Each structure stands twice: as structure tokens, then as C-alpha cells.
Amino acid sequence: MQYRHTMFYLLATLACSQAQAWSRMADARVHAINGQPCFTISKKEEARNGTPLLGALTVYDISGKPAEEAWSFIFSGTTTLPIHAKACFLYGHAPAIAEATAAAKLKEGTMYSVFLNGRPDDPSDSTYGYKGKFCITATANGEQQVVPITSEMPAWRDEICPAPASAP
């Protein structure tokens, strides 16, 4: 009899923990094409989840508080677009079927965050989006350079662009 309450508490705790929605934010992949950022998912994510379906993409300037939207696009209604790791969405170039905002000029020394609002086709997968960060710096000849910030880097948490590496 003395274990009845303990057993009830244990079962109630397990039932509640199973009822909670566990969600997951996956890493987006940011790389450059002709000095402009391009956004996609990693090959690892595609292998894990298959081809996710994208509903929207938003880029924020997170160098100040509150963050400011730099560019976004969204598909109307229930329209989605598959995201493949081998393809990417170039900054400022929305798919023709999307509604987009004007792309702000990217500023040197500024950190940006991108959110790909998409999820795998599998409803049992808890992934609800893909997030990435990047900085804009200038090369020695003054051209724009995209510096991807991975979630393992201190700059991800600090939200401050890392200092450029000095030449030897």
C-alpha cells in the first residue's frame, strides 16, 4: 500500500513527459556564392530527415536589439518547397512563387541570423526549423566576404563577429 502513491506519481510523471512536445531546431548551412550568402540544409540533415518542406525564410540583422529583419520570403497558403542540401536560396533572390520583402544591403562587421521555416515530411520528426548565423566582412581587396558561424563557435553565443585572422 505504501508504494501505491509512489507508483502513481511515477506513472503520472512518465505520462506527462510522453505528452510533452519535444521539438528540435536543426542547423542551417550558410555559404557564399559570388560574395552573397546562400542558405540551405546540411547533407547530414538531409540524410537524417529526408527532404524538408520550406514554408518561409527570414534573415535578421542581430547586431542590435531588437533584431531587425533584413530580408524574407513566404509561400502563401499551404504551399511549400522542398529543400535539398545541394541547392540553396541566394540572399535577395526569392523563388518566383513566394511573396518577398526587399533585401537590405548587408553591412560589413554585422552578424546575421537566418531561419528556414520548414520541417521534414515525416510528422513524427520533431524538427521545426533550421537556423544559421553568418557575418559579413571585407576581403583585403575590399570585396564582401561571408563568414559562416557554426553553433560550435563562441561567436554563435556571443552574437559578435569574430575578429578577422591576421596575416602571417
Side-chain angles (χ1 to χ4, degrees):
M1 195 72 159
Q2 68 185 19
Y3 296 108
R4 177 183 271 174
H5 294 293
T6 304
M7 185 59 90
F8 176 76
Y9 177 76
L10 179 61
L11 290 173
T13 303
L14 288 172
C16 289
S17 68
Q18 293 300 313
Q20 290 179 345
W22 296 100
S23 57
R24 174 180 175 270
M25 178 76 74
D27 288 341
R29 181 171 174 256
V30 179
H31 63 280
I33 294 181
N34 297 326
Q36 288 294 312
C38 211
F39 315 108
T40 190
I41 62 169
S42 68
K43 290 178 184 176
K44 177 183 171 185
E45 283 299 323
E46 188 170 34
R48 178 187 189 275
N49 295 326
T51 304
L53 301 172
L54 181 72
L57 183 149
T58 307
V59 176
Y60 295 98
D61 173 343
I62 57 173
S63 60
K65 303 295 180 223
E68 294 181 20
E69 185 177 296
W71 176 64
S72 68
F73 68 78
I74 188 169
F75 298 109
S76 61
T78 58
T79 303
T80 56
L81 193 65
I83 311 169
H84 297 279
K86 63 185 175 209
C88 69
F89 298 98
L90 191 62
Y91 181 79
H93 298 269
I97 60 173
E99 298 173 26
T101 62
K105 182 176 180 349
L106 298 175
K107 299 175 281 191
E108 185 180 322
T110 302
M111 182 172 281
Y112 294 90
S113 174
V114 60
F115 180 66
L116 287 80
N117 187 349
R119 56 175 298 118
D121 202 21
D122 178 0
S124 69
D125 190 304
S126 62
T127 304
Y128 72 94
Y130 303 84
K131 184 175 182 178
K133 295 182 182 180
F134 63 98
C135 288
I136 299 296
T137 61
T139 63
N141 59 1
E143 293 179 4
Q144 179 174 291
Q145 180 177 12
V146 177
V147 179
I149 306 297
T150 64
S151 57
E152 295 84 27
M153 297 170 69
W156 180 278
R157 290 180 304 282
D158 301 341
E159 296 188 343
I160 298 171
C161 291
S166 55

